[in-house]
Amino acid sequence: MKKWAMSLIVTMVAAWFGGLICSAEAGMTARQIMEMVDARDDGDNMTADQEMILIDKNGHKRIRRMKAFSKDKGKDTLKLMFFMEPADVRGTGFLTYDYYLGERDDDQWLYLPELKKVKRIASSDKSSAFMGSDFSYADMTKRVVAKWNYKLLKTMDIGGKSCWLIEATPVNDEVEDRYGYEKSVLFVRQDIFMVVRGVNWCKEGGEIKYLENVTIEQIDGVWVSTQTKAKTTRNGRVMHQTIFNQRNTRFGQDIKEEFFSTRQLEKGL
């Protein structure tokens, strides 16, 4: 993925996006908008400190801290995460091969130190909760654009920024089962082609999952969500919440491809 660096280039890109927004208002389809979202620069060779705050329906909190790494391999993305705190999850590792085309299911592995075993995440398990959070294993990868049907609902302002509201439905039962969602509504910021909110209707249990990128920062020319909030509701009641914070995000780091392996999962940091 490309790097934005010099201010001149940033200015040119901003002007180009401005032209695209005008074009979109003149008739860009929902699918074309989502293709632009997919093509958005999200950086390469990244390291970051991350934190997950898990909040149950009674307001009790658990905090988990992680170290995350990612690297592009062509159009595919390799991701590796290690849990650092607290003691009961220390050493747990999560590895993902996020395939761009979607011709094969993304590969995911979880290392559990107490079992000293790497577990491969099966396709049938990818709609389940990731480490007790409001994110599923499938949510930890990018959606493949071609696996969803899109409909442009309307535009509206969020935080003073104009957004498209796009309805997304799975193209078939296999995709629906993998994600566990019958339908999503995505809020796409027009100026940066980034999803800033999402509402997901779960296939089972009558639950609805809400996602919001609360804080968005530009780091090395890349727009990054540094705080994301998610919650799961049932019959209008909040059942669980997750606050995801990201700090010390750095791009262009020296990370070798060999680092993203099941052997490294077992070895840890």
Side-chain angles (χ1 to χ4, degrees):
M1 296 178 186
K2 307 169 285 300
K3 276 287 186 184
W4 298 355
M6 302 282 186
S7 59
L8 177 59
I9 296 176
V10 172
T11 301
M12 292 172 64
V13 171
W16 183 67
F17 273 157
L20 282 173
I21 292 168
C22 291
S23 174
E25 292 173 348
M28 183 180 271
T29 67
R31 171 65 179 262
Q32 289 170 332
I33 293 168
M34 294 310 300
E35 286 173 348
M36 291 301 301
V37 170
D38 186 62
R40 182 184 72 83
D41 177 24
D42 59 2
D44 191 12
N45 291 303
M46 184 209 76
T47 63
D49 296 321
Q50 299 178 336
E51 176 185 72
M52 275 199 317
I53 303 172
L54 310 177
I55 308 170
D56 68 19
K57 62 183 178 181
N58 297 315
H60 299 138
K61 295 182 180 181
R62 289 177 293 160
I63 299 175
R64 292 173 172 173
R65 295 186 174 89
M66 305 87 75
K67 187 74 176 179
F69 306 83
S70 71
K71 182 181 184 67
D72 293 339
K73 182 180 180 182
K75 289 190 173 183
D76 301 333
T77 305
L78 312 178
K79 301 176 184 177
L80 185 55
M81 174 190 294
F82 290 104
F83 285 77
M84 312 302 290
E85 296 177 2
D88 63 338
V89 295
R90 185 181 299 128
T92 300
F94 180 57
L95 173 65
T96 296
Y97 291 175
D98 192 343
Y99 301 118
Y100 176 77
L101 291 177
E103 294 175 348
R104 56 187 289 195
D105 198 9
D106 297 323
D107 287 320
Q108 294 179 315
W109 298 267
L110 186 69
Y111 175 69
L112 302 172
E114 65 273 19
L115 300 178
K116 295 188 168 139
K117 181 179 180 182
V118 173
K119 173 189 175 184
R120 188 185 187 95
I121 307 300
S123 294
S124 57
D125 292 333
K126 290 188 176 177
S127 62
S128 59
F130 170 69
M131 295 295 289
S133 73
D134 293 271
F135 301 97
S136 69
Y137 285 95
D139 290 332
M140 303 302 288
T141 62
K142 290 179 67 175
R143 293 188 182 186
V144 177
V145 173
K147 299 293 185 181
W148 298 78
N149 297 313
Y150 304 100
K151 179 181 178 182
L152 182 57
L153 302 178
K154 62 178 181 178
T155 61
M156 66 179 293
D157 280 358
I158 297 177
K161 302 293 184 180
S162 186
C163 296
W164 292 291
L165 270 66
I166 295 177
E167 180 183 277
T169 53
V171 296
N172 55 38
D173 291 342
E174 179 185 351
V175 176
E176 184 175 297
D177 289 342
R178 183 187 308 163
Y179 286 88
Y181 302 141
E182 343 182 283
K183 178 178 73 172
S184 300
V185 172
L186 309 173
F187 297 64
V188 179
R189 237 178 80 171
Q190 293 185 357
D191 58 337
I192 57 176
F193 286 91
M194 184 175 184
V195 176
V196 294
R197 283 186 187 175
V199 184
N200 302 297
W201 282 262
C202 297
K203 179 181 176 181
E204 298 177 355
E207 294 180 338
I208 301 177
K209 291 187 178 182
Y210 297 85
L211 173 78
E212 181 174 8
N213 289 324
V214 179
T215 306
I216 301 171
E217 300 177 25
Q218 197 172 34
I219 302 171
D220 294 338
V222 179
W223 289 100
V224 177
S225 175
T226 53
Q227 184 179 81
T228 301
K229 291 184 178 181
K231 65 180 179 181
T232 302
T233 68
R234 186 184 299 136
N235 298 323
R237 296 183 58 190
V238 177
M239 307 304 295
H240 196 274
Q241 300 177 71
T242 302
I243 300 173
F244 189 91
N245 297 313
Q246 182 161 303
R247 304 182 181 93
N248 301 321
T249 304
R250 294 183 175 88
F251 296 105
Q253 302 302 293
D254 183 18
I255 315 173
K256 305 300 182 186
E257 185 179 323
E258 300 76 43
F259 182 68
F260 299 87
S261 65
T262 54
R263 182 177 180 181
Q264 190 67 49
L265 265 186
E266 297 175 316
K267 182 179 177 181
L269 285 178

